[in-house]
Amino acid sequence: MKIARVILPLPLDRPYTYVVPEHFWHLVRPGRRVVVPFGKRKLAGVVIEEGTDEDIKGYTAKEILDVDMELPVLPAEILKLTKWIASYYMCSWGEAARAALPPGSAAPSAKSRARMVTMVQLSPEAPPYPPTGNRQQAIMEQLRIWDAAERLPVSQIEVLAECGGSATTLQRLEALGYIELEAEVMDRSEGIMPTRDAEESAIQLHEEQKTAISAINQQIDSNKFGCFLLHGVTGSGKTEVYLRALKHARDAGKTGVVLVPEISLTPQTVRRFRKRFGDDVAVLHSRMSIGERYDAWRGIGDGRYPIVIGPRSAILAPLKRPGLIIVDEEHEASYKQHDPAPRYNARDVAVIRAMNNGSTCILGSATPSLESLANAQSGKYQLLSMPERVPINGTPAQLPKIQIVDLRNEKALFQKKEALSPRLIEAIEQRIEKNEQTILLLNRRGFSPVMECTSCGWVPECPDCSVSLVYHKPLHHLRCHYCGRTERVPHLCGSCKLPTLDYAGTGTQRLEEELQSKIPSVRQLRMDLDTTSGKDSHHTILDQFGKGKADVLLGTQMVAKGLDFEKVTLVGIIQAEAGLLLPDIRAEERSFQLLTQVAGRSGRSNLAGEVILQSRQPGHPIIQFAIRHDYAGFAKYALESRTSLGYPPAGRLVSITFSGPEDDKTRDLAEKWRACIDSRLKVVDRLGPSPAFVHKLKTRFRHQILLKIPLDVPASHVRKAIFSANKALGTLPTTYRMNVDVDPVGIV
Ligand code: ADP
Ligand code: ZN
Ligand code: ZN
């Protein structure tokens, strides 16, 4: 008898053993995805090992139900990498392996992915009244939205993914005459590839590019692991370096992975890779349908695409031994997965994958993360610098000049609760006259539970954690969501002593209205979470802007990333300190990165660029560093403050979140666990539990404990202590959960 050990996408501490029925003998091997019974359920897992019945004396194992022949076998290298992820990020191996499979493949019904798909269309004779069921109504509403956007028919998979429900819900809607279902042969081809850019590029590399390329190529040729930090200002020609290095690797028969933060925000970068490498490139993105991803995954596994470009999950693509791994904008928070497990950082996994394969890794950024900078300073990474923009006609293009508008002097704006200063309005008008374009950045979330002084910009902070305190309405107090410290809401500003504390906040929509009322003729496009929920909406907005169909592109930080529009000569930053208010240890770093990034959007071509930066705290060190384009100054300042508090890169963080339907019970569990960890991990700073920044999420309450781990405490020690504390706490009540997030980023 033949048996197989299978890892499952559940928080289990070991693989499970199954019997391989004889008709599957020739198909089952390590890396193969199989469907197995688990309790009363069926689950999809991955085989990691084969064996014989010698191994299962003493109990009866169940049989494997099905074998997935549509997916390539996971290479041994990927299995090993997912095992590392499981151990480092403290999840199960099966959960980690889930990230290496195309999404949707955790569903056990292997048959549902045959090449036939069910397409859903509104029936022309749909009754005028809504159906009775809630789920049915939700589906109809969504279909009407898609219909209005001319997106019907859509696949059943997509409908169910968006609205929930099951195939039967749809069948019932069909029986009631609301919709039509039709089986179609799936057309998942990627569309026509742009033709290859024949002349490898007429571009003459500048000196720093040459130095960088020659170091990188040498590393590639050595077949040994090496990691570079390519620190180049915006427009210095980093992408050109990636393209050349990749060409070099390809010419030597090697494959490559390129990670970009978010595909929809970096269409221009992707296009350049496509142009240079044609249909050697597989582009993965989060808005692909499940079928499209399957096809891409198979093509990669079969070796049809030697180059893969995509967001974080692309790092686990089944490419044969990538010789070069590139992480563009390595500082971006979107490389970190929050939910579900594995909560991995694709940038760090990229380095490990390169290490495992003896390959070359390039981390590129205009504003490297402090973690990567520290690694470069310690010699773990080799630093390559490109401090100047690509020269135009012999002289380096200048970084744009940044002008400051001190909002403290704009009393009229403050009284009318407006955001656009006369100076900025005038500059926008000038651009419209000259047929040039403007980008406006509102660096601010829709809500902001932080208080600030409207006179001087002061924000109450936790003295121990150096993060903004969060206002909690029910109890009317301020709270540090790192350490749990609470304080009363002050009446007077802690700095200027005026009674002008208020909640921070203006939305993009309000800004849009204000601009329209001040310049009635303005043509604007807004880009934020609301306007970009559709499948191609990013693309459409950027495309229209690129074609000159609007004078102003206005939005949240989405407008800051990677865009390269020749006609943009003005960037307006509405409230530069806004990002500093977020209660996050990386708030300053993120703000500096964002301000630098958005300023880099201006004056990309031979038209000179200008940036107008509005702020209530123009003297804030971060804003000063950004104005002077002073990354080194910023890094020194920020590293000092991180070091004094033991934050990364001077220490490591692990955040543990308990969540459940009842607030008190969730808090109790967190407190009990804290007591368990206290006795086991004395060498580590333990903070909390305190309510998570987002205390209530989807009807569940969340409480958080933060471990601050000195660098000399081994990760394995922490891991052991956490597992042991979990054991001591015992099984959680159903519907209660505990998540471990290693190296959390963003608002933890
Ligand atoms: P980054 O990725 O650092 O922002 P890019 O690689 O996008 O910079 O380069 C900015 C622009 O300059 C692009 O349009 C690119 O094609 C062009 N470019 C890059 N290197 C050179 C060079 N050596 N000479 C002329 N133009 C270049
Ligand atoms: Zn604190
Ligand atoms: Zn004040």
Side-chain angles (χ1 to χ4, degrees):
M1 200 162 57
K2 208 171 147 175
I3 61 113
R5 298 206 196 281
V6 176
I7 48 174
L8 297 166
L10 294 175
L12 306 165
D13 56 0
R14 61 184 173 89
Y16 277 64
T17 304
Y18 292 91
V19 172
V20 185
E22 214 170 317
H23 54 284
F24 285 147
W25 277 14
H26 59 298
L27 300 179
V28 166
R29 54 189 145 122
R32 182 71 87 190
R33 181 182 170 280
V34 292
V35 178
V36 295
F38 187 81
K40 290 198 179 100
R41 292 190 283 168
K42 286 185 197 174
L43 288 175
V46 176
V47 176
I48 51 162
E49 205 183 9
E50 293 167 283
T52 63
D53 53 350
E54 290 299 300
D55 306 334
I56 50 162
K57 288 227 169 85
Y59 69 99
T60 40
K62 293 184 189 164
E63 283 195 354
I64 286 178
L65 302 174
D66 206 351
V67 176
D68 186 348
M69 296 306 292
E70 278 201 45
L71 271 181
V73 168
L74 283 184
E77 179 232 331
I78 295 285
L79 276 181
K80 180 178 163 191
L81 189 61
T82 53
K83 195 175 181 183
W84 178 86
I85 290 175
S87 141
Y88 185 81
Y89 293 103
M90 294 188 221
C91 62
S92 81
W93 193 358
E95 288 173 314
R98 172 170 60 191
L101 296 169
S105 53
S109 55
K111 296 287 180 286
S112 70
R113 284 168 293 91
R115 298 197 144 235
M116 299 296 286
V117 278
T118 304
M119 301 302 288
V120 183
Q121 174 67 281
L122 281 173
S123 162
E125 278 115 50
Y129 46 86
T132 43
N134 283 344
R135 187 78 74 193
Q136 295 176 350
Q137 283 175 15
I139 291 176
M140 287 305 290
E141 264 166 41
Q142 186 58 47
L143 289 175
R144 294 234 150 82
I145 292 171
W146 278 332
D147 189 38
E150 295 178 6
R151 283 203 47 214
L152 293 183
V154 296
S155 72
Q156 169 173 320
I157 298 173
E158 205 167 330
V159 177
L160 300 181
E162 185 71 34
C163 313
S166 67
T168 5
T169 326
L170 290 174
Q171 283 154 12
R172 227 171 282 137
L173 278 171
E174 188 188 30
L176 292 168
Y178 283 96
I179 60 171
E180 293 172 353
L181 298 176
E182 199 172 340
E184 251 183 38
V185 177
M186 202 181 280
D187 175 16
R188 304 185 291 204
S189 60
E190 269 242 30
I192 299 143
M193 302 269 176
T195 44
R196 211 182 271 249
D197 197 1
E199 81 269 33
E200 133 64 349
S201 149
I203 289 175
Q204 287 282 321
L205 295 181
H206 57 71
E207 279 313 308
E208 281 135 359
Q209 282 174 318
K210 282 187 199 153
T211 313
I213 283 288
S214 97
I216 292 166
N217 287 355
Q218 225 173 346
Q219 187 70 47
I220 293 173
D221 294 341
S222 77
N223 294 320
K224 288 204 187 81
F225 165 70
C227 184
F228 295 94
L229 177 60
L230 178 59
H231 176 200
V233 299
T234 51
S236 60
K238 293 186 293 298
T239 311
E240 191 58 38
V241 171
Y242 306 149
L243 289 164
R244 299 286 174 111
L246 198 51
K247 173 87 170 39
H248 185 82
R250 285 296 301 131
D251 288 348
K254 296 184 158 109
T255 62
V257 181
V258 182
L259 299 187
V260 289
E262 276 158 278
I263 289 274
S264 47
L265 298 180
T266 46
Q268 289 160 323
T269 309
V270 174
R271 215 171 298 142
R272 282 166 76 184
F273 279 89
R274 273 263 178 105
K275 239 182 142 184
R276 200 79 48 101
F277 299 102
D279 44 17
D280 279 355
V281 182
V283 178
L284 303 175
H285 53 88
S286 51
R287 297 197 176 178
M288 276 169 128
S289 71
I290 290 173
E292 285 167 338
R293 286 188 210 206
Y294 253 83
D295 287 1
W297 222 249
R298 267 213 321 274
I300 297 164
D302 295 348
R304 228 179 320 136
Y305 303 112
I307 296 171
V308 175
I309 178 164
R312 66 171 175 255
S313 61
I315 193 53
L316 293 163
L319 207 70
K320 306 260 148 53
R321 294 176 63 87
L324 177 63
I325 301 178
I326 295 164
V327 186
D328 189 24
E329 311 283 3
E330 65 84 27
H331 62 274
E332 280 287 332
S334 68
Y335 286 125
K336 173 81 183 189
Q337 173 154 316
H338 290 283
D339 260 321
R343 297 181 176 80
Y344 66 107
N345 189 322
R347 180 212 38 220
D348 299 332
V349 173
V351 177
I352 299 294
R353 190 168 183 190
M355 204 182 275
N356 289 345
N357 286 296
S359 34
T360 299
C361 187
I362 308 174
L363 311 179
S365 175
T367 50
S369 63
L370 295 176
E371 284 84 350
S372 295
L373 182 72
N375 281 327
Q377 286 174 346
S378 73
K380 220 169 122 185
Y381 301 164
Q382 300 173 58
L383 183 65
L384 300 168
S385 292
M386 303 206 293
E388 290 194 23
R389 282 190 158 183
V390 171
I392 297 172
N393 306 327
T395 45
Q398 293 302 304
L399 285 165
K401 242 197 137 55
I402 302 186
Q403 322 268 356
I404 290 192
V405 172
D406 187 340
L407 287 176
R408 290 171 302 187
N409 302 332
E410 306 287 330
K411 295 278 189 277
L413 276 188
F414 172 55
Q415 275 155 12
K416 286 188 270 180
K417 291 216 173 260
E418 289 182 340
L420 296 159
S421 65
R423 170 101 172 270
L424 183 52
I425 291 289
E426 195 189 319
I428 297 172
E429 280 171 334
Q430 284 169 1
R431 294 319 187 283
I432 298 175
E433 248 160 58
K434 285 195 280 183
N435 200 18
E436 294 173 2
Q437 291 177 304
T438 302
I439 289 179
L440 288 184
L441 168 74
L442 186 67
N443 176 21
R444 144 100 78 218
R445 312 207 162 183
F447 75 105
S448 185
V450 165
M451 305 196 83
E452 73 180 317
C453 172
T454 49
S455 310
C456 74
W458 177 81
V459 175
E461 272 191 1
C462 173
D464 297 330
C465 304
S466 169
V467 297
S468 309
L469 292 169
V470 173
Y471 175 62
H472 278 255
K473 208 166 178 184
L475 298 168
H476 189 62
H477 67 199
L478 298 172
R479 185 147 60 194
C480 171
H481 86 107
Y482 277 62
C483 69
R485 172 196 195 97
T486 59
E487 288 193 10
R488 278 189 305 169
V489 176
H491 295 290
L492 301 180
C493 167
S495 172
C496 71
K497 310 293 177 211
L498 289 172
T500 46
L501 280 176
D502 203 351
Y503 309 107
T506 338
T508 37
Q509 218 165 339
R510 227 167 83 191
L511 185 66
E512 190 181 23
E513 288 162 14
E514 187 186 330
L515 181 60
Q516 201 75 56
S517 77
K518 286 185 172 161
I519 311 180
S521 68
V522 72
R523 297 169 307 153
Q524 40 181 337
L525 286 165
R526 175 159 65 94
M527 191 148 116
D528 55 24
L529 275 182
D530 294 335
T531 63
T532 54
S533 53
K535 187 170 179 184
D536 296 316
S537 36
H538 274 113
H539 199 82
T540 315
I541 294 173
L542 295 178
D543 193 54
Q544 291 187 333
F545 192 60
K547 286 184 180 143
K549 298 221 167 107
D551 310 303
V552 175
L553 173 66
L554 155 168
T556 53
Q557 23 195 315
M558 289 179 191
V559 302
K561 312 272 163 80
L563 307 179
D564 191 355
F565 294 110
E566 281 190 4
K567 289 207 152 180
V568 173
T569 56
L570 174 66
V571 165
I573 299 167
I574 304 305
Q575 195 186 350
E577 74 279 9
L580 296 168
L581 310 183
L582 290 173
D584 181 350
I585 58 154
R586 291 187 179 80
E588 292 194 330
E589 182 179 4
R590 296 261 170 265
S591 287
F592 178 80
Q593 287 162 344
L594 183 66
L595 294 176
T596 308
Q597 209 93 39
V598 76
R601 298 306 114 214
S602 177
R604 303 272 294 182
S605 64
N606 45 5
L607 300 171
E610 185 187 8
V611 176
I612 293 183
L613 179 151
Q614 305 190 137
S615 176
R616 267 194 206 107
Q617 298 184 62
H620 192 289
I622 291 297
I623 293 176
Q624 285 296 319
F625 291 128
I627 289 168
R628 297 197 301 264
H629 305 289
D630 182 7
Y631 175 82
F634 151 75
K636 186 163 178 287
Y637 162 90
L639 276 173
E640 270 166 20
S641 110
R642 295 277 181 89
T643 306
S644 71
L645 289 159
Y647 285 141
R652 302 192 318 129
L653 296 180
V654 173
S655 126
I656 288 108
T657 308
F658 283 82
S659 67
E662 277 176 59
D663 198 13
D664 292 348
K665 219 166 143 187
T666 311
R667 194 189 161 85
D668 269 1
L669 281 171
E671 262 162 10
K672 283 200 185 105
W673 189 86
R674 161 84 207 244
C676 296
I677 198 77
D678 275 348
S679 55
R680 290 170 171 84
L681 205 56
K682 294 205 179 68
V683 285
V684 159
D685 244 354
R686 302 161 305 270
L687 310 174
S690 73
F693 175 61
V694 183
H695 181 190
K696 192 175 176 192
L697 186 71
K698 293 182 187 160
T699 75
R700 296 172 67 80
F701 293 91
R702 303 156 78 236
H703 290 268
Q704 208 161 39
I705 293 161
L706 193 65
L707 306 179
K708 218 154 99 179
I709 304 156
L711 290 179
D712 56 5
V713 176
S716 58
H717 179 64
V718 177
R719 193 159 47 234
K720 257 190 223 140
I722 289 178
F723 287 147
S724 158
N726 293 353
K727 225 173 219 158
L729 183 70
T731 317
L732 296 177
T734 40
T735 72
Y736 284 80
R737 275 191 209 22
M738 172 207 169
N739 289 335
V740 182
D741 192 350
V742 178
D743 302 341
V745 302
I747 295 187
V748 295

